[in-house]
């Protein structure tokens, strides 16, 4: 019984945090939907052709949701901060440019399955995150401020 309540609390806390992060956007993003101002974008190394420009840190901003192994996964990124919520845990951290865009997270319960992930691809509609543990999440972009569909029902006490 206590585990069910605890799991529900983690899901609720994560969803509230994710909704708060994705509901916020700067005026620059509203006036420049293409993001051409360059603010917040990672710089390219000399000689880099920019072929991976869809995977830069700024392109990761917003809310993402999907299922991995039948379990809901929600990722929210805003201003270089990231929140990841799964059915069992909530993880927070930062987006880092380490030659490629990486997510460096710490989970509240100490789990390490999704603590360091690299962005494999991001076309603006779908992002693929490959975690050091071998897990790969494919997530779809969500509308700002919307709670993603397909999440598990909250447990009843």
């Amino acid at each position: 019984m206590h585990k069910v309540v605890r799991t529900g609390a983690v899901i609720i806390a994560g969803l509230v945090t994710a909704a708060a992060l994705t509901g916020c956007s700067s005026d620059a993003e509203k006036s420049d939907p293409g993001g051409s101002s360059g603010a917040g974008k990672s710089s390219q190394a000399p000689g880099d052709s920019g072929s991976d420009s869809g995977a830069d840190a700024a392109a990761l901003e917003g809310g993402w949701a999907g299922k991995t192994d039948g379990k809901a996964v929600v990722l929210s990124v805003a201003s270089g901060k990231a929140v990841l919520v799964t059915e069992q845990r909530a993880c927070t951290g930062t987006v880092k440019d380490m030659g490629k865009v990486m997510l460096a997270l710490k989970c509240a319960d100490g789990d390490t399955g999704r603590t360091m992930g690299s962005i494999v691809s991001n076309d603006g509609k779908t992002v693929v995150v490959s975690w050091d543990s071998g897990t790969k999440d494919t997530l779809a972009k969500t509308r700002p401020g919307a709670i993603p569909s397909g999440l598990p029902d909250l447990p009843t006490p």
Side-chain angles (χ1 to χ4, degrees):
M1 166 82 170
H2 292 292
K3 183 178 180 181
V4 171
V5 172
R6 218 177 22 237
T7 301
V10 168
I11 291 171
I12 291 170
L15 288 175
V16 168
T17 303
L21 285 174
T22 59
C24 300
S25 64
S26 70
D27 289 338
E29 289 173 322
K30 290 178 186 171
S31 64
D32 187 13
S36 62
S37 67
K41 292 195 178 207
S42 60
S43 61
Q44 293 179 356
D48 186 358
S49 67
S51 61
D52 198 25
S53 63
D56 68 13
L60 194 58
E61 295 273 324
W64 305 88
K67 286 190 176 186
T68 301
D69 297 328
K71 296 180 180 177
V73 178
V74 177
L75 172 66
S76 180
V77 177
S79 302
K81 304 291 183 197
V83 175
L84 180 85
V85 178
T86 64
E87 289 184 350
Q88 297 291 324
R89 62 192 38 91
C91 308
T92 59
T94 58
V95 178
K96 298 182 180 258
D97 185 356
M98 305 169 108
K100 58 183 171 180
V101 179
M102 304 286 292
L103 295 172
L105 307 177
K106 183 173 182 172
C107 299
D109 65 357
D111 184 74
T112 59
R114 286 184 173 104
T115 54
M116 185 59 76
S118 64
I119 305 305
V120 175
S121 67
N122 181 356
D123 65 5
K125 294 178 183 177
T126 305
V127 66
V128 177
V129 183
S130 180
W131 299 98
D132 283 353
S133 66
T135 301
K136 192 175 275 191
D137 293 323
T138 301
L139 308 171
K141 185 82 168 182
T142 61
R143 292 187 336 261
I147 295 178
S149 63
L151 296 175
D153 291 331
L154 292 177
T156 55

